[in-house]
Amino acid sequence: MMRQIRLCRNGKYGFDTSNFQNIILNGQTEMTVRYFDGNNNPLSSPLPNPFVTITQKIRVEVINPLNNSCTAVVLIPFVVNPVPNINLEGDELVCSILPTFTKIIDPGIQDGSPT
């Protein structure tokens, strides 16, 4: 379904979930939507925004309350990548209000992470 990938420093990231419920329901109304974390613990519905989490798959159940045997289940993978090891040296101007200003900088990545 949706793939969310972000970088953070502490193993967690706040994902924008503002459109998840609309995308999951795809115009259906009167459905019950339940979210469960990677340990099968119930989460709030809709998910909080931002949804701060570690890497995990969130299970979503959509249930028709008029027919409880009519359900759909989807997994949403939330992937939080570590911040690359960066070694910055020196002082460089990287922002300017001049429209023709450009600057090529070395990102200083030490661990082979893609730039």
Side-chain angles (χ1 to χ4, degrees), residues 63-85:
I63 304 162
N64 183 340
L66 299 176
N67 179 358
N68 287 336
S69 64
C70 183
T71 64
V73 176
V74 66
L75 293 176
I76 302 174
F78 288 87
V79 179
V80 181
N81 294 318
V83 173
N85 182 10

Side-chain angles (χ1 to χ4, degrees), residues 8-11 17 21 26-27 31 33 35-36 45 50 60-61 67-68 74 76 81 83 85 93 97 107 113:
C8 78
R9 292 187 190 273
N10 63 358
T17 59
Q21 195 115 334
N26 194 28
M31 298 294 168
V33 181
Y35 296 88
F36 299 88
S45 180
V60 184
E61 295 179 355
N67 179 358
N68 287 336
V74 66
I76 302 174
N81 294 318
V83 173
N85 182 10
L93 175 65
I97 60 170
S113 299

Side-chain angles (χ1 to χ4, degrees), residues 24-44:
I24 290 165
L25 290 174
N26 194 28
Q28 299 178 85
T29 59
E30 307 301 322
M31 298 294 168
T32 302
V33 181
R34 295 186 182 141
Y35 296 88
F36 299 88
D37 70 13
N39 294 317
N40 207 33
N41 297 312
L43 301 169
S44 63

Side-chain angles (χ1 to χ4, degrees), residues 5-25:
I5 302 175
R6 298 290 185 261
L7 300 173
C8 78
R9 292 187 190 273
N10 63 358
K12 294 182 179 180
Y13 184 82
F15 291 88
D16 178 0
T17 59
S18 59
N19 290 324
F20 278 28
Q21 195 115 334
N22 290 335
I23 293 169
I24 290 165
L25 290 174

